[in-house]
């Protein structure tokens, strides 16, 4: 059976990644009886930072309606109007191939660690044209959750100028509201303007890693559960399937780093049902109801499986 996690790590995955994360977590809770709001730590990247902030604020993950095909009416304002509107506008203007290939692949290609990797990221990030759209609506929406950085929540971002990862909420990190940090973690560099915090610019934590699993505060016998929306199965040789294989490889390396510390790590990616519902465009809001329902079914299976 699935172990009760001490640390919950939620990766990036755009608009529909939020829905999959919500569905899986809700399914796990309903099948296991766990209350995932009680985890000792939450680590969130991009879409995962939204869900992590919600849980840290004491709010449960959303569930599908009784028919498992529709969201509850109250869940419609899920990620802020600015995030959704900008994503839709970009999706209409850009080709499907560009969105499918760039969104999940580019962050992984830039995720080399060390000074050289930081310089490479900074060089790329500072050459990207600065978008005008902001995530102010998302910041306000998340701040409305009421979550605070009290030592439990960590949000992954990247310093745009230095190219280095900054985990808001961790010891020594700059002071920020949870909404500011989440907006920064969701600021995909080619879609949204960087977020200014304490005199510096921050962008999407996915530029460093799709999950930032290695940043989880974990030691010997710590149970870590990582949900990685971008690492779903893919049976073809499309760019999306390549991106998913890269995401699985990256999270495997990060999980190994934690296991060497003695942590017990379980990683979960979308199964075939969820991956089919998600499709190839993580910024497309159209399948979100199907994705929430598929994620919920996967969470139920995950928690009730003898192997966890």
């Amino acid at each position: 059976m699935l172990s009760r996690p001490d640390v919950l790590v939620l990766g990036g995955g755009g608009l529909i990644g939020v829905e999959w994360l919500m569905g899986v977590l809700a399914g796990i809770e309903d099948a296991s009886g766990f209350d995932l709001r009680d985890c000792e730590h939450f680590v969130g990247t991009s879409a995962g930072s939204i869900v992590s902030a919600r849980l840290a604020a004491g709010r449960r993950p959303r569930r599908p309606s009784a028919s498992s095909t529709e969201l509850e009416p109250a869940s419609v304002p899920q990620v802020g109007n600015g995030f959704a509107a900008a994503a839709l506008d970009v999706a209409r203007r850009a080709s499907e191939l560009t969105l499918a290939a760039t969104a999940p692949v580019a962050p992984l290609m830039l995720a080399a660690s060390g000074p050289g990797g930081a310089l490479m990221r900074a060089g790329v990030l500072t050459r990207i044209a600065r978008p005008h759209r902001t995530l102010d609506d998302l910041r306000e929406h998340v701040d409305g959750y009421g979550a605070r950085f009290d030592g439990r929540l960590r949000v992954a971002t990247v310093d745009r100028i230095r190219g280095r990862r900054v985990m808001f909420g961790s010891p020594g990190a700059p002071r920020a509201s949870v909404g500011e940090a989440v907006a920064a973690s969701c600021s995909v560099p080619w879609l949204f303007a960087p977020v200014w915090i304490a005199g510096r610019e921050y962008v999407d934590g996915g530029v460093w890693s799709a999950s930032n699993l290695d940043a989880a505060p974990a030691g010997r016998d710590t149970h870590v559960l990582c949900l990685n929306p971008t690492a779903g199965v893919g049976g073809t040789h499309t760019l999306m399937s390549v991106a998913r294989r890269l995401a699985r490889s990256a999270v495997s390396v990060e999980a190994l780093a934690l296991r060497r510390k003695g942590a017990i790590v379980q990683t979960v990616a979308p199964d075939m049902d969820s991956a089919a519902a998600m499709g190839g465009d993580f910024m497309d809001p159209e399948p979100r109801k199907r994705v929430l329902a598929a994620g919920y079914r996967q969470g139920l299976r995950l928690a009730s499986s003898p192997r966890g």
Side-chain angles (χ1 to χ4, degrees):
M1 299 293 289
L2 181 71
S3 300
R4 180 187 294 272
D6 301 308
V7 180
L8 192 59
V9 178
L10 305 180
L15 291 169
I16 60 171
V18 173
E19 302 305 325
W20 180 76
L21 291 168
M22 289 281 195
V24 173
L25 295 172
I28 289 173
E29 285 194 338
D30 289 351
S32 67
F34 298 161
D35 188 336
L36 296 175
R37 297 172 296 181
D38 294 336
C39 289
E40 295 177 10
H41 293 285
F42 303 96
V43 177
T45 300
S46 197
S49 71
I50 299 172
V51 182
S52 293
R54 180 185 178 100
L55 294 171
R59 302 192 179 200
R60 301 189 72 184
R62 289 195 307 270
R63 283 146 171 83
S65 64
S67 65
S68 296
T69 59
E70 296 182 350
L71 294 176
E72 297 169 341
S75 68
V76 172
Q78 55 203 350
V79 291
N81 293 333
F83 190 75
L88 282 170
D89 183 64
V90 172
R92 293 188 182 102
R93 293 172 181 271
S95 70
E96 180 180 353
L97 177 63
T98 300
L99 279 177
T102 306
V105 174
L108 294 169
M109 293 175 63
L110 295 173
S113 60
L119 288 173
M120 178 182 68
R121 278 188 298 277
V124 172
L125 291 173
T126 54
R127 285 170 174 78
I128 295 174
R130 185 187 301 272
H132 296 294
R133 291 187 181 274
T134 70
L135 290 178
D136 291 343
D137 286 350
L138 175 61
R139 172 181 54 77
E140 295 175 3
H141 181 74
V142 172
D143 275 335
Y145 290 162
R148 298 182 180 278
F149 285 120
D150 58 2
R152 300 176 66 213
L153 175 63
R154 301 189 180 185
V155 174
T157 68
V158 170
D159 184 318
R160 177 175 175 269
I161 302 300
R162 297 176 178 175
R164 299 174 181 172
R165 180 172 66 184
V166 175
M167 299 295 299
F168 283 95
S170 64
R175 295 185 63 180
S177 75
V178 172
E180 288 173 331
V182 168
S185 190
C186 293
S187 291
V188 181
W190 48 91
L191 297 184
F192 306 109
V195 175
W196 282 90
I197 300 175
R200 303 201 67 85
E201 293 180 313
Y202 296 92
V203 297
D204 186 1
V207 172
W208 183 277
S209 164
S211 69
N212 290 284
L213 172 59
D214 61 308
R220 183 163 299 281
D221 297 328
T222 302
H223 288 251
V224 181
L225 175 62
C226 174
L227 305 186
N228 194 4
T230 58
V233 297
T236 66
H237 295 289
T238 63
L239 286 172
M240 182 56 68
S241 67
V242 172
R244 285 170 167 158
R245 286 195 293 272
L246 287 172
R248 289 197 298 273
S249 298
V251 78
S252 296
V253 172
E254 293 172 350
L256 179 60
L258 289 187
R259 290 184 178 119
R260 286 176 175 170
K261 297 179 181 180
I264 301 166
V265 183
Q266 180 170 6
T267 62
V268 177
D271 60 13
M272 294 187 68
D273 181 27
S274 292
M278 295 169 82
D281 185 350
F282 290 105
M283 302 301 281
D284 181 7
E286 190 278 328
R288 63 192 185 205
K289 297 179 181 180
R290 298 192 300 275
V291 172
L292 182 72
Y296 183 76
R297 293 191 296 270
Q298 183 176 354
L300 292 174
R301 291 191 293 269
L302 181 66
S304 59
S305 169
R307 296 179 60 186

